[in-house]
Amino acid sequence: MKQLDSEELMKRIHAYIEQLSYSREPKGLYDPIEYVLALGGKRLRPVLMLLAYNLYREDVESIFSQAAGIETYHNFTLLHDDLMDNADMRRGKPVVHKKWNENTAILSGDAMLILSYQFMMNQCPPEHVQEVMEIFGRTALEVCEGQQWDMEFESRNDVTVGEYIEMIRLKTSVLLAAALKIGAVLGGASSADAQKLYDFGIRMGLAFQLQDDYLDVYGNPAVFGKKIGGDILCNKKTYMLITALEQAKGENREELLRWLKTADFVPEEKIAAVTAIYNKVGIAGYCDAQIEKYYQEGLQLLNEVDVDDARKENLRIFVHHLMERKL
C-alpha cells in the first residue's frame, strides 16, 4: 500500500486549502477568512488526520474536505484567541481585529466555525457521519472549555500542575487527538485502533505544549520563531511557573512572588531574575522529565495500533520532528 510522507501530505493539503475560494458576498465577511487561512502555519492537524487515514487507505484526497475542516476550526480558535489576548501579530502579519476591527474578527470567526462543520460534513461517508461529527462536536466544545480555564488561571496563583495539564489537554491536545481519530475512523480502523490513535494524540499534544513552555524560557529565538520570555513577562501560568511556585522555598519563593506582583519592571531584568530562580529550583529538569514521559507513553500507544509497523513510520517521523524543536 502506498504511503505518503508528511511533507507530501502537507504540500497537497496546503494546495487544497489555497484553492478554496470564497466568492460569496459580502467580501467584508469572507476576505478576513481567506486572509487567516492564507497565513499558512504548520498544518499539523490536517497532516495528522491524513497520516492516520493513510495507515489504512491510500486515497487521502477523498478526506481533504475533513482535513480542511479541522484546519479551519483551528484557525477560527486562533482568530478569537488573538482578540481575547489583544494580540497584534500572528505569523508575522497583523491579526484580523487590527487589520479590520473587533466586530469583523468576531463575525468572520463565527463564519469560520460554521464553515468548519460544513467541510467536515462534505462527502463524509454516510456510515461515518454520526461518529465523525460526534468526535468533532465534542472536541470543539472541549477546546472552549480549555480556553475558559486558561482565562480563569490568569487571576489565580494557586493553580496546580494537575489543573494545568487538564487545561492544556483541553486547549491543545484534544484537537490533535481528534484529527488522528477522525482520520482513523474514515480509514476504516477498528474502534480500538481509533481510540489508541486518539490517546497517542493526547500524549503528543501534552508533550508539545510542555515543550512550548520550556522553549519560551530556554529556547533559541532564531529557531523557536518567537521572542524568549513572553510567558514570564505576562505571568502566564505555565508548567514552568506553576512547578516553580510549588518547588521554590524561602527566599526563592519570596522573590518569585515579588516579581509576579511587580507591575513596573524592566522586561530583561524580570526575564533574567525569574529564569535564575527556575535554574536554582531545577525547573528545566522537571519539565524535561514530563515531556519525555508523555512522549514515550505516546510512542507506546502507537506501537500498540494493530497496523504493520512499517506503515506507522511516517507518523513516527512526523511527531519526532515536532519534538525536535528543543534541540
Side-chain angles (χ1 to χ4, degrees):
M1 191 172 88
K2 190 181 177 191
Q3 299 289 123
L4 295 170
D5 65 28
S6 59
E7 280 187 26
E8 179 61 27
L9 291 171
M10 198 177 296
K11 214 181 295 173
R12 291 192 190 188
I13 192 60
H14 201 73
Y16 178 83
I17 289 169
E18 273 190 343
Q19 59 80 44
L20 292 170
S21 65
Y22 302 100
S23 52
R24 293 167 61 164
E25 298 284 338
K27 287 289 181 197
L29 178 66
Y30 292 102
D31 281 355
I33 299 174
E34 285 199 338
Y35 173 76
V36 169
L37 287 170
L39 290 179
K42 295 183 278 284
R43 309 286 194 219
L44 301 186
R45 293 145 197 86
V47 170
L48 284 170
M49 187 186 285
L50 297 170
L51 282 166
Y53 181 87
N54 201 204
L55 292 174
Y56 304 94
R57 299 184 59 165
E58 283 186 22
D59 58 335
V60 289
E61 60 286 339
S62 69
I63 67 157
F64 277 0
S65 181
Q66 285 69 36
I70 210 146
E71 183 68 357
T72 303
Y73 175 79
H74 171 60
N75 279 275
F76 143 71
T77 66
L78 299 182
L79 199 158
H80 277 189
D81 277 2
D82 287 341
L83 181 59
M84 286 185 234
D85 295 344
N86 199 24
D88 293 322
M89 307 289 279
R90 164 77 61 182
R91 294 167 189 153
K93 297 274 180 71
V95 294
V96 168
H97 66 270
K98 296 289 185 186
K99 188 172 169 65
W100 282 272
N101 55 57
E102 291 185 1
N103 287 346
T104 296
I106 294 167
L107 195 58
S108 292
D110 291 345
M112 284 181 88
L113 176 59
I114 296 159
L115 284 164
S116 69
Y117 274 83
Q118 288 185 337
F119 286 137
M120 200 57 74
M121 288 285 290
N122 182 34
Q123 294 177 327
C124 186
E127 67 273 20
H128 295 311
V129 168
Q130 187 175 352
E131 187 174 8
V132 165
M133 297 315 293
E134 272 179 9
I135 297 165
F136 187 52
R138 183 181 68 244
T139 302
L141 203 53
E142 285 177 332
V143 173
C144 295
E145 291 167 4
Q147 175 68 5
Q148 181 63 32
W149 281 122
D150 197 18
M151 293 191 301
E152 290 185 12
F153 289 173
E154 286 174 16
S155 57
R156 286 177 51 194
N157 274 342
D158 62 346
V159 180
T160 66
V161 168
E163 286 178 308
Y164 178 72
I165 295 296
E166 175 59 6
M167 183 275 284
I168 62 173
R169 183 187 75 81
L170 292 164
K171 190 173 170 179
T172 302
S173 291
V174 294
L175 198 57
L176 298 169
L180 286 156
K181 189 170 186 179
I182 290 169
V185 167
L186 291 168
S190 68
S191 56
D193 271 5
Q195 187 59 41
K196 277 187 177 135
L197 283 162
Y198 180 88
D199 294 338
F200 160 72
I202 292 289
R203 301 306 193 287
M204 290 306 170
L206 294 174
F208 191 70
Q209 184 56 54
L210 290 182
Q211 192 187 51
D212 242 29
D213 293 359
Y214 178 98
L215 290 171
D216 189 77
V217 181
Y218 295 111
N220 175 344
V223 178
F224 188 36
K226 296 182 195 173
K227 285 182 182 171
I228 299 303
D231 291 345
I232 290 173
L233 293 178
C234 65
N235 296 341
K236 190 167 175 61
K237 304 302 184 305
T238 64
Y239 179 86
M240 314 290 277
L241 177 57
I242 294 164
T243 307
L245 286 167
E246 284 185 1
Q247 299 296 330
K249 303 286 184 285
E251 284 179 17
N252 287 334
R253 183 176 170 77
E254 281 172 30
E255 192 187 347
L256 186 55
L257 288 169
R258 185 170 60 77
W259 278 110
L260 292 178
K261 288 173 193 155
T262 303
D264 189 20
F265 54 81
V266 177
E268 290 75 17
E269 272 182 29
K270 180 171 180 176
I271 292 167
V274 173
T275 303
I277 296 167
Y278 287 177
N279 292 341
K280 285 177 196 165
V281 181
I283 295 302
Y286 285 108
C287 195
D288 260 340
Q290 204 65 25
I291 291 167
E292 188 62 18
K293 172 179 170 280
Y294 288 129
Y295 184 55
Q296 292 304 328
E297 284 176 4
L299 290 180
Q300 182 53 41
L301 284 158
L302 183 57
N303 288 341
E304 291 169 16
V305 173
D306 191 17
V307 169
D308 183 59
D309 204 53
R311 296 211 329 244
K312 295 184 256 188
E313 195 54 23
N314 284 331
L315 192 44
R316 260 194 216 103
I317 290 167
F318 184 60
V319 297
H320 179 67
H321 283 329
L322 290 183
M323 298 310 299
E324 267 188 332
R325 297 179 306 157
K326 199 167 65 187
L327 304 176

